[in-house]
Coordinates of all heavy atoms in Angstrom, one line a residue:
M1 N 0.8 -1.2 -0.1 CA 0.0 0.0 0.0 C 0.9 1.2 0.0 O 0.5 2.3 -0.7 CB -1.0 0.0 1.2 CG -1.8 1.2 1.3 SD -3.0 1.3 2.6 CE -4.4 0.4 1.9
G2 N 2.1 1.3 0.8 CA 2.9 2.4 0.8 C 3.4 2.7 -0.5 O 3.4 3.9 -0.9
A3 N 3.7 1.8 -1.4 CA 4.4 2.1 -2.6 C 3.3 2.7 -3.6 O 3.5 3.7 -4.3 CB 4.8 0.8 -3.4
E4 N 2.1 2.2 -3.4 CA 0.9 2.8 -4.3 C 0.6 4.2 -3.9 O 0.4 5.1 -4.7 CB -0.4 1.9 -4.1 CG -0.2 0.6 -4.7 CD -0.1 0.6 -6.2 OE1 -0.8 1.5 -6.9 OE2 0.7 -0.3 -6.8
L5 N 0.6 4.5 -2.6 CA 0.4 5.8 -2.2 C 1.5 6.8 -2.5 O 1.2 7.9 -2.9 CB 0.2 5.8 -0.6 CG -1.1 5.2 -0.1 CD1 -1.1 5.1 1.5 CD2 -2.3 5.8 -0.6
K6 N 2.8 6.3 -2.4 CA 3.8 7.1 -2.9 C 3.7 7.4 -4.4 O 4.1 8.5 -4.9 CB 5.2 6.5 -2.6 CG 5.6 6.6 -1.1 CD 6.9 5.8 -0.9 CE 7.3 5.9 0.7 NZ 8.5 5.2 1.0
G7 N 3.4 6.4 -5.1 CA 3.2 6.5 -6.5 C 2.1 7.5 -6.9 O 2.1 8.0 -8.0
A8 N 1.2 7.6 -6.0 CA 0.0 8.6 -6.2 C 0.4 10.0 -5.7 O -0.4 11.0 -5.7 CB -1.2 8.2 -5.4
G9 N 1.7 10.2 -5.3 CA 2.2 11.5 -5.0 C 2.1 11.8 -3.5 O 2.1 13.1 -3.1
L10 N 1.9 10.9 -2.6 CA 1.8 11.2 -1.2 C 3.1 10.9 -0.4 O 3.8 10.0 -0.8 CB 0.7 10.3 -0.6 CG -0.8 10.5 -1.1 CD1 -1.7 9.6 -0.5 CD2 -1.2 11.9 -0.8
S11 N 3.3 11.6 0.6 CA 4.5 11.4 1.4 C 4.2 11.5 2.8 O 3.0 11.7 3.1 CB 5.5 12.5 1.1 OG 5.1 13.8 1.5
A12 N 5.0 11.3 3.7 CA 4.8 11.3 5.2 C 3.7 10.3 5.5 O 2.7 10.7 6.2 CB 4.5 12.8 5.7
L13 N 3.9 9.2 5.0 CA 2.8 8.1 5.1 C 2.8 7.6 6.4 O 3.8 7.3 7.1 CB 3.1 7.0 4.1 CG 3.1 7.4 2.6 CD1 3.5 6.1 1.7 CD2 1.7 7.9 2.2
E14 N 1.6 7.3 6.9 CA 1.4 6.6 8.2 C 0.4 5.5 7.9 O -0.7 5.7 7.4 CB 0.8 7.4 9.3 CG 1.8 8.5 9.7 CD 1.2 9.5 10.8 OE1 0.5 8.8 11.7 OE2 1.4 10.6 10.8
I15 N 0.8 4.3 8.0 CA -0.1 3.1 7.6 C -0.2 2.2 8.9 O 0.8 1.9 9.5 CB 0.5 2.2 6.4 CG1 0.7 3.2 5.3 CG2 -0.3 1.1 6.1 CD1 1.5 2.5 4.1
E16 N -1.5 1.9 9.3 CA -1.7 1.1 10.4 C -2.8 0.1 10.1 O -3.7 0.2 9.4 CB -2.3 2.0 11.5 CG -2.5 1.3 12.9 CD -2.8 2.3 13.9 OE1 -2.7 3.5 13.8 OE2 -3.4 1.8 15.0
E17 N -2.5 -1.2 10.6 CA -3.4 -2.2 10.4 C -4.2 -2.4 11.8 O -3.6 -2.4 12.9 CB -2.7 -3.6 10.2 CG -2.1 -3.6 8.9 CD -1.4 -5.0 8.5 OE1 -1.6 -5.9 9.2 OE2 -0.9 -5.0 7.4
I18 N -5.4 -2.5 11.7 CA -6.3 -2.7 12.9 C -7.1 -3.9 12.7 O -7.8 -4.1 11.7 CB -7.2 -1.4 13.0 CG1 -6.4 -0.1 13.1 CG2 -8.2 -1.5 14.2 CD1 -7.2 1.2 13.1
E19 N -7.2 -4.7 13.8 CA -8.1 -5.9 13.8 C -9.5 -5.4 14.2 O -9.7 -4.7 15.1 CB -7.6 -6.9 14.7 CG -6.1 -7.4 14.4 CD -6.1 -8.1 13.0 OE1 -7.0 -8.9 12.7 OE2 -5.1 -7.8 12.4
V20 N -10.5 -5.8 13.3 CA -11.8 -5.4 13.6 C -12.6 -6.6 13.7 O -12.4 -7.7 13.1 CB -12.3 -4.4 12.5 CG1 -11.5 -3.0 12.5 CG2 -12.2 -5.0 11.0
V21 N -13.8 -6.5 14.3 CA -14.7 -7.5 14.5 C -16.2 -7.0 14.3 O -16.5 -5.9 14.7 CB -14.7 -8.1 16.0 CG1 -15.8 -9.2 16.2 CG2 -13.3 -8.7 16.3
W22 N -16.9 -7.7 13.4 CA -18.2 -7.4 13.1 C -19.1 -8.5 13.6 O -18.9 -9.7 13.3 CB -18.4 -7.3 11.5 CG -19.9 -6.9 11.3 CD1 -20.4 -5.6 11.0 CD2 -21.0 -7.8 11.0 NE1 -21.8 -5.7 10.8 CE2 -22.1 -7.0 10.7 CE3 -21.1 -9.1 11.0 CZ2 -23.3 -7.5 10.5 CZ3 -22.4 -9.6 10.8 CH2 -23.5 -8.9 10.5
E23 N -20.0 -8.2 14.4 CA -21.0 -9.2 14.9 C -22.4 -8.8 14.6 O -22.7 -7.7 14.8 CB -20.8 -9.3 16.5 CG -21.7 -10.4 17.1 CD -21.6 -10.6 18.5 OE1 -20.6 -10.0 19.1 OE2 -22.3 -11.4 19.2
G24 N -23.2 -9.8 14.2 CA -24.6 -9.5 13.8 C -25.3 -10.7 13.7 O -24.9 -11.8 13.9
P25 N -26.6 -10.6 13.2 CA -27.5 -11.7 13.1 C -27.0 -12.5 11.9 O -26.4 -12.1 11.0 CB -28.8 -11.1 12.8 CG -28.4 -9.7 12.2 CD -27.2 -9.3 12.8
A26 N -27.4 -13.8 12.0 CA -27.2 -14.8 10.8 C -28.4 -14.7 9.9 O -29.4 -14.0 10.1 CB -26.8 -16.1 11.3
G27 N -28.4 -15.6 8.9 CA -29.5 -15.8 8.1 C -29.9 -14.6 7.2 O -29.0 -13.8 6.9
Q28 N -31.2 -14.5 6.9 CA -31.5 -13.4 6.0 C -31.2 -12.0 6.7 O -31.0 -11.0 5.9 CB -33.0 -13.5 5.7 CG -33.5 -12.4 4.7 CD -32.8 -12.4 3.4 OE1 -32.7 -13.5 2.7 NE2 -32.5 -11.2 2.8
S29 N -31.3 -12.0 8.0 CA -31.0 -10.7 8.6 C -29.6 -10.3 8.3 O -29.3 -9.0 8.3 CB -31.2 -10.9 10.2 OG -32.6 -11.0 10.4
Y30 N -28.7 -11.2 8.2 CA -27.3 -10.8 7.8 C -27.3 -10.0 6.5 O -26.7 -8.9 6.4 CB -26.4 -12.0 7.8 CG -25.0 -11.7 7.2 CD1 -24.1 -11.2 7.9 CD2 -24.8 -12.0 5.8 CE1 -22.8 -10.8 7.3 CE2 -23.6 -11.6 5.2 CZ -22.6 -11.0 6.0 OH -21.4 -10.8 5.4
L31 N -28.0 -10.6 5.5 CA -28.0 -10.0 4.2 C -28.6 -8.6 4.3 O -28.2 -7.7 3.6 CB -28.7 -10.9 3.2 CG -28.0 -12.0 2.6 CD1 -28.7 -12.9 1.7 CD2 -26.6 -11.6 2.0
D32 N -29.7 -8.6 5.0 CA -30.4 -7.2 5.2 C -29.4 -6.2 5.8 O -29.5 -5.0 5.4 CB -31.7 -7.4 6.1 CG -32.7 -8.2 5.4 OD1 -32.6 -8.5 4.2 OD2 -33.6 -8.7 6.2
D33 N -28.7 -6.6 6.7 CA -27.7 -5.6 7.5 C -26.6 -5.2 6.5 O -26.1 -4.0 6.6 CB -27.1 -6.3 8.7 CG -28.0 -6.2 9.8 OD1 -29.1 -5.8 9.8 OD2 -27.6 -6.7 11.0
V34 N -26.1 -6.1 5.6 CA -25.0 -5.6 4.7 C -25.4 -5.3 3.3 O -24.5 -5.0 2.5 CB -23.9 -6.8 4.8 CG1 -23.4 -7.0 6.2 CG2 -24.5 -8.1 4.2
R35 N -26.6 -5.3 3.0 CA -27.1 -5.1 1.7 C -26.6 -3.7 1.1 O -26.1 -3.6 0.0 CB -28.6 -5.0 1.6 CG -29.1 -4.8 0.2 CD -30.2 -5.6 -0.4 NE -30.7 -6.8 0.4 CZ -30.2 -8.0 0.0 NH1 -29.4 -8.2 -1.0 NH2 -30.7 -9.1 0.6
E36 N -26.5 -2.7 1.9 CA -26.0 -1.4 1.3 C -24.5 -1.5 1.1 O -24.1 -0.9 0.0 CB -26.3 -0.3 2.4 CG -25.9 1.1 1.9 CD -26.2 2.2 2.9 OE1 -27.0 1.9 3.8 OE2 -25.5 3.3 2.8
L37 N -23.8 -2.1 1.9 CA -22.4 -2.3 1.6 C -22.1 -3.1 0.3 O -21.2 -2.7 -0.5 CB -21.8 -3.1 2.8 CG -20.3 -3.5 2.7 CD1 -19.4 -2.3 2.5 CD2 -19.9 -4.5 3.8
H38 N -22.9 -4.1 0.0 CA -22.7 -4.9 -1.2 C -22.9 -4.0 -2.5 O -22.3 -4.2 -3.5 CB -23.7 -5.9 -1.3 CG -23.4 -7.1 -0.4 ND1 -24.3 -8.2 -0.3 CD2 -22.3 -7.4 0.4 CE1 -23.7 -9.0 0.6 NE2 -22.6 -8.5 1.1
G39 N -23.7 -2.9 -2.4 CA -23.9 -2.0 -3.4 C -22.6 -1.3 -3.8 O -22.5 -0.8 -5.1
Y40 N -21.6 -1.2 -3.0 CA -20.4 -0.5 -3.2 C -19.4 -1.5 -3.8 O -18.3 -1.0 -4.2 CB -19.9 0.1 -1.9 CG -20.7 1.3 -1.4 CD1 -21.5 1.2 -0.3 CD2 -20.7 2.5 -2.1 CE1 -22.3 2.2 0.1 CE2 -21.5 3.6 -1.6 CZ -22.3 3.4 -0.5 OH -23.1 4.5 -0.1
M41 N -19.6 -2.7 -3.8 CA -18.7 -3.7 -4.4 C -19.0 -3.8 -5.9 O -20.1 -4.3 -6.3 CB -18.9 -5.0 -3.6 CG -18.5 -4.9 -2.2 SD -18.9 -6.6 -1.4 CE -18.7 -6.1 0.2
G42 N -18.1 -3.4 -6.7 CA -18.2 -3.4 -8.2 C -18.8 -4.6 -8.7 O -19.7 -4.6 -9.5
A43 N -18.2 -5.8 -8.4 CA -18.6 -7.1 -9.0 C -20.0 -7.4 -8.6 O -20.8 -7.8 -9.5 CB -17.7 -8.2 -8.5
Y44 N -20.4 -7.1 -7.3 CA -21.8 -7.4 -6.9 C -22.8 -6.4 -7.6 O -23.9 -6.8 -8.0 CB -21.9 -7.4 -5.4 CG -23.2 -7.8 -4.8 CD1 -23.4 -9.1 -4.5 CD2 -24.2 -7.0 -4.5 CE1 -24.7 -9.6 -4.0 CE2 -25.5 -7.3 -4.0 CZ -25.7 -8.7 -3.8 OH -26.9 -9.0 -3.3
A45 N -22.4 -5.2 -7.6 CA -23.2 -4.1 -8.2 C -23.6 -4.4 -9.7 O -24.7 -4.0 -10.1 CB -22.6 -2.7 -8.0
T46 N -22.8 -5.1 -10.4 CA -23.0 -5.4 -11.8 C -23.9 -6.6 -12.0 O -24.3 -6.8 -13.2 CB -21.7 -5.5 -12.6 OG1 -21.0 -6.7 -12.1 CG2 -20.8 -4.3 -12.5
L47 N -24.2 -7.4 -10.9 CA -25.0 -8.6 -11.2 C -26.5 -8.2 -11.5 O -27.0 -7.3 -10.9 CB -25.0 -9.4 -9.9 CG -23.6 -9.9 -9.5 CD1 -23.8 -10.6 -8.1 CD2 -23.0 -10.8 -10.6
D48 N -27.1 -9.1 -12.3 CA -28.5 -8.9 -12.4 C -29.3 -9.5 -11.3 O -28.6 -10.1 -10.4 CB -29.0 -9.4 -13.8 CG -28.9 -11.0 -14.0 OD1 -29.0 -11.7 -12.9 OD2 -28.6 -11.4 -15.1
D49 N -30.5 -9.5 -11.2 CA -31.3 -10.0 -10.0 C -31.2 -11.4 -9.8 O -31.0 -11.9 -8.6 CB -32.8 -9.6 -10.2 CG -33.1 -8.1 -10.0 OD1 -32.3 -7.4 -9.5 OD2 -34.1 -7.7 -10.4
N50 N -31.2 -12.2 -10.8 CA -31.0 -13.6 -10.8 C -29.6 -14.0 -10.2 O -29.5 -14.8 -9.4 CB -31.2 -14.4 -12.1 CG -31.3 -15.9 -11.9 OD1 -31.9 -16.4 -11.1 ND2 -30.5 -16.4 -12.9
E51 N -28.6 -13.3 -10.7 CA -27.2 -13.5 -10.3 C -27.1 -13.2 -8.8 O -26.4 -13.9 -8.0 CB -26.2 -12.8 -11.1 CG -26.1 -13.3 -12.5 CD -25.4 -12.4 -13.5 OE1 -25.5 -11.1 -13.3 OE2 -24.7 -12.9 -14.4
R52 N -27.7 -12.0 -8.4 CA -27.6 -11.6 -7.0 C -28.3 -12.6 -6.1 O -27.8 -12.9 -4.9 CB -28.3 -10.3 -6.8 CG -27.5 -9.1 -7.2 CD -28.1 -7.8 -6.8 NE -27.2 -6.8 -7.4 CZ -27.6 -5.7 -8.0 NH1 -28.8 -5.4 -8.2 NH2 -26.8 -4.8 -8.5
R53 N -29.4 -13.2 -6.5 CA -30.0 -14.2 -5.7 C -29.2 -15.4 -5.5 O -29.0 -16.1 -4.4 CB -31.4 -14.6 -6.3 CG -32.5 -13.7 -6.0 CD -33.8 -14.3 -6.4 NE -34.0 -14.4 -7.9 CZ -34.3 -13.5 -8.7 NH1 -34.7 -12.3 -8.2 NH2 -34.5 -13.7 -9.9
R54 N -28.4 -15.9 -6.6 CA -27.5 -17.0 -6.5 C -26.3 -16.7 -5.6 O -25.9 -17.5 -4.7 CB -27.0 -17.4 -7.9 CG -28.1 -18.0 -8.6 CD -27.7 -18.3 -10.1 NE -26.4 -19.1 -10.2 CZ -25.6 -19.0 -11.1 NH1 -25.8 -18.1 -12.1 NH2 -24.5 -19.7 -11.1
V55 N -25.8 -15.4 -5.6 CA -24.7 -15.1 -4.8 C -25.2 -14.9 -3.4 O -24.5 -15.5 -2.4 CB -23.9 -13.7 -5.3 CG1 -23.1 -13.2 -4.2 CG2 -23.3 -13.9 -6.6
D56 N -26.3 -14.3 -3.1 CA -26.9 -14.3 -1.8 C -27.1 -15.6 -1.2 O -26.8 -15.8 0.0 CB -28.1 -13.4 -1.8 CG -28.0 -12.0 -2.1 OD1 -26.8 -11.4 -2.0 OD2 -29.0 -11.3 -2.2
G57 N -27.5 -16.5 -2.0 CA -27.7 -17.9 -1.4 C -26.4 -18.6 -1.1 O -26.3 -19.3 0.0
A58 N -25.4 -18.3 -1.8 CA -24.0 -18.9 -1.4 C -23.5 -18.2 -0.2 O -22.9 -18.8 0.7 CB -23.1 -18.6 -2.6
I59 N -23.7 -16.9 0.0 CA -23.3 -16.2 1.2 C -24.0 -16.7 2.4 O -23.4 -17.0 3.4 CB -23.5 -14.6 0.9 CG1 -22.6 -14.0 0.0 CG2 -23.4 -13.9 2.3 CD1 -22.9 -12.6 -0.5
L60 N -25.3 -16.9 2.2 CA -26.1 -17.4 3.4 C -25.7 -18.8 3.7 O -25.6 -19.2 4.9 CB -27.6 -17.4 3.0 CG -28.3 -16.1 3.1 CD1 -29.7 -16.2 2.7 CD2 -28.1 -15.4 4.4
T61 N -25.3 -19.7 2.8 CA -24.7 -21.0 3.0 C -23.5 -20.9 4.0 O -23.4 -21.6 5.0 CB -24.4 -21.8 1.8 OG1 -25.6 -21.9 1.1 CG2 -23.7 -23.1 2.1
V62 N -22.5 -19.9 3.7 CA -21.3 -19.9 4.5 C -21.7 -19.3 5.9 O -21.2 -19.7 6.9 CB -20.3 -18.9 3.7 CG1 -19.2 -18.6 4.6 CG2 -19.8 -19.6 2.5
I63 N -22.5 -18.2 5.9 CA -22.9 -17.6 7.1 C -23.6 -18.6 8.0 O -23.3 -18.6 9.3 CB -23.8 -16.3 6.8 CG1 -23.0 -15.2 6.2 CG2 -24.4 -15.8 8.2 CD1 -21.6 -14.7 6.9
D64 N -24.5 -19.3 7.5 CA -25.2 -20.3 8.4 C -24.2 -21.3 8.9 O -24.4 -21.8 10.0 CB -26.3 -20.9 7.6 CG -27.5 -19.9 7.4 OD1 -27.6 -18.9 8.1 OD2 -28.4 -20.2 6.6
R65 N -23.2 -21.7 8.1 CA -22.2 -22.7 8.5 C -21.4 -22.1 9.6 O -21.0 -22.9 10.6 CB -21.4 -23.1 7.4 CG -20.5 -24.3 7.7 CD -19.5 -24.7 6.6 NE -20.2 -24.6 5.3 CZ -19.7 -24.0 4.2 NH1 -18.4 -23.5 4.3 NH2 -20.2 -24.0 3.1
I66 N -21.1 -20.9 9.8 CA -20.2 -20.4 10.9 C -21.0 -19.7 12.0 O -20.4 -19.3 13.0 CB -19.2 -19.4 10.3 CG1 -19.8 -18.1 9.7 CG2 -18.3 -20.0 9.2 CD1 -18.9 -17.0 9.3
A67 N -22.3 -19.6 11.8 CA -23.2 -19.0 12.9 C -23.3 -19.8 14.1 O -23.3 -21.1 14.0 CB -24.5 -18.7 12.3
T68 N -23.4 -19.1 15.3 CA -23.7 -19.8 16.5 C -24.9 -19.1 17.2 O -24.8 -17.9 17.3 CB -22.4 -19.7 17.5 OG1 -21.3 -20.4 16.8 CG2 -22.7 -20.4 18.7
D69 N -25.8 -19.8 17.5 CA -27.1 -19.2 18.1 C -27.6 -18.1 17.3 O -27.9 -17.0 17.8 CB -26.7 -18.8 19.6 CG -26.4 -19.9 20.5 OD1 -26.8 -21.0 20.3 OD2 -25.5 -19.7 21.4
N70 N -27.7 -18.3 15.9 CA -28.2 -17.4 15.0 C -27.4 -16.0 14.9 O -28.0 -15.1 14.7 CB -29.7 -17.1 15.2 CG -30.4 -16.6 13.9 OD1 -30.0 -17.0 12.8 ND2 -31.3 -15.8 14.0
R71 N -26.2 -16.1 15.5 CA -25.3 -14.9 15.4 C -24.0 -15.4 14.6 O -23.6 -16.4 14.6 CB -24.9 -14.4 16.8 CG -26.1 -14.1 17.7 CD -26.7 -12.8 17.5 NE -25.9 -11.6 17.6 CZ -26.1 -10.5 17.3 NH1 -27.3 -10.1 16.6 NH2 -25.3 -9.5 17.5
V72 N -23.5 -14.3 14.0 CA -22.2 -14.5 13.3 C -21.1 -13.4 13.7 O -21.6 -12.3 14.0 CB -22.3 -14.4 11.7 CG1 -22.8 -13.2 11.3 CG2 -21.2 -14.9 11.0
V73 N -19.9 -13.9 13.9 CA -18.9 -13.0 14.3 C -17.8 -13.2 13.1 O -17.3 -14.1 12.8 CB -18.2 -13.4 15.6 CG1 -17.0 -12.5 15.9 CG2 -19.2 -13.3 16.6
L74 N -17.5 -12.0 12.5 CA -16.5 -12.0 11.4 C -15.3 -11.0 11.8 O -15.6 -9.9 12.2 CB -17.1 -11.3 10.1 CG -18.3 -12.2 9.6 CD1 -18.9 -11.4 8.4 CD2 -18.0 -13.6 9.2
C75 N -14.1 -11.7 11.7 CA -12.9 -10.9 12.1 C -12.1 -10.6 10.9 O -12.1 -11.4 9.9 CB -12.1 -11.7 13.0 SG -12.9 -12.2 14.5
S76 N -11.5 -9.4 10.8 CA -10.8 -8.9 9.6 C -9.8 -7.9 10.0 O -9.8 -7.4 11.1 CB -11.8 -8.4 8.6 OG -11.1 -8.0 7.4
T77 N -8.9 -7.6 9.2 CA -7.8 -6.5 9.3 C -8.3 -5.4 8.4 O -8.5 -5.5 7.1 CB -6.4 -7.1 8.9 OG1 -6.2 -8.2 9.7 CG2 -5.5 -6.0 9.2
A78 N -8.4 -4.2 9.0 CA -8.7 -3.0 8.3 C -7.3 -2.2 8.2 O -6.5 -2.2 9.1 CB -9.6 -2.1 9.0
V79 N -7.0 -1.7 7.1 CA -5.7 -0.9 6.9 C -6.1 0.6 6.7 O -6.8 0.9 5.8 CB -4.9 -1.4 5.6 CG1 -3.7 -0.6 5.5 CG2 -4.6 -3.0 5.8
L80 N -5.5 1.4 7.6 CA -5.8 2.9 7.5 C -4.5 3.4 7.1 O -3.4 3.1 7.7 CB -6.2 3.4 8.9 CG -7.5 2.7 9.5 CD1 -7.7 3.3 11.0 CD2 -8.6 3.0 8.7
A81 N -4.6 4.4 6.2 CA -3.4 5.0 5.6 C -3.7 6.6 5.5 O -4.7 7.0 5.2 CB -3.0 4.5 4.4
V82 N -2.7 7.4 5.9 CA -2.7 8.8 5.8 C -1.4 9.3 5.3 O -0.4 8.8 5.6 CB -2.9 9.5 7.2 CG1 -3.0 10.9 7.2 CG2 -4.2 8.9 7.9
G83 N -1.5 10.2 4.4 CA -0.3 10.8 3.7 C -0.6 12.3 3.4 O -1.7 12.8 3.5
T84 N 0.5 12.9 3.0 CA 0.5 14.4 2.7 C 0.8 14.5 1.2 O 1.7 13.8 0.7 CB 1.6 15.2 3.4 OG1 1.3 15.0 4.8 CG2 1.5 16.6 3.1
R85 N -0.1 15.2 0.5 CA 0.1 15.3 -0.9 C 1.3 16.3 -1.1 O 1.4 17.3 -0.5 CB -1.0 15.9 -1.7 CG -0.8 16.1 -3.2 CD -2.1 16.1 -4.0 NE -3.1 15.1 -3.9 CZ -3.1 14.0 -4.5 NH1 -2.1 13.6 -5.3 NH2 -4.1 13.0 -4.3
Q86 N 2.2 15.9 -2.1 CA 3.4 16.7 -2.3 C 3.1 17.9 -3.3 O 2.3 17.9 -4.0 CB 4.6 15.9 -2.9 CG 4.9 14.8 -2.0 CD 6.1 13.8 -2.6 OE1 6.3 13.9 -3.8 NE2 6.7 13.1 -1.8

């Protein structure tokens, strides 16, 4: 990421990785909670309604597999970067 930011003309870079946890409902409620986020994902946004239903079904299969007591906990690393334009 640092090389890309420098290539974009930024200096004095500060890059930090933060472990984040998302917890929420499983099943259809999971899809309802993240539906707006999916709209920002280019590949998902280009799907037609039938393709979205198929992808949503695959997502629910995974979510239901990892859910406990109808709740799901997803852990990830977020990368935050700040720089100064030269």
Side-chain angles (χ1 to χ4, degrees):
M1 178 177 276
E4 292 294 322
L5 292 173
K6 285 181 184 178
L10 298 176
S11 62
L13 299 176
E14 294 181 38
I15 301 172
E16 185 175 343
E17 291 185 2
I18 300 172
E19 297 301 314
V20 294
V21 176
W22 182 92
E23 181 177 354
Q28 183 61 45
S29 294
Y30 169 82
L31 284 178
D32 294 342
D33 279 3
V34 299
R35 181 140 340 267
E36 184 177 340
L37 173 63
H38 286 175
Y40 293 106
M41 297 177 186
Y44 189 87
T46 64
L47 300 175
D48 64 32
D49 289 342
N50 186 46
E51 292 167 326
R52 283 190 183 135
R53 279 190 293 277
R54 290 177 49 214
V55 169
D56 288 351
I59 291 170
L60 286 178
T61 297
V62 172
I63 292 300
D64 288 345
R65 188 178 324 132
I66 64 173
T68 302
D69 296 328
N70 203 34
R71 301 285 295 167
V72 64
V73 177
L74 302 174
C75 303
S76 185
T77 302
V79 180
L80 302 176
V82 177
T84 303
R85 184 163 303 278
Q86 298 176 343

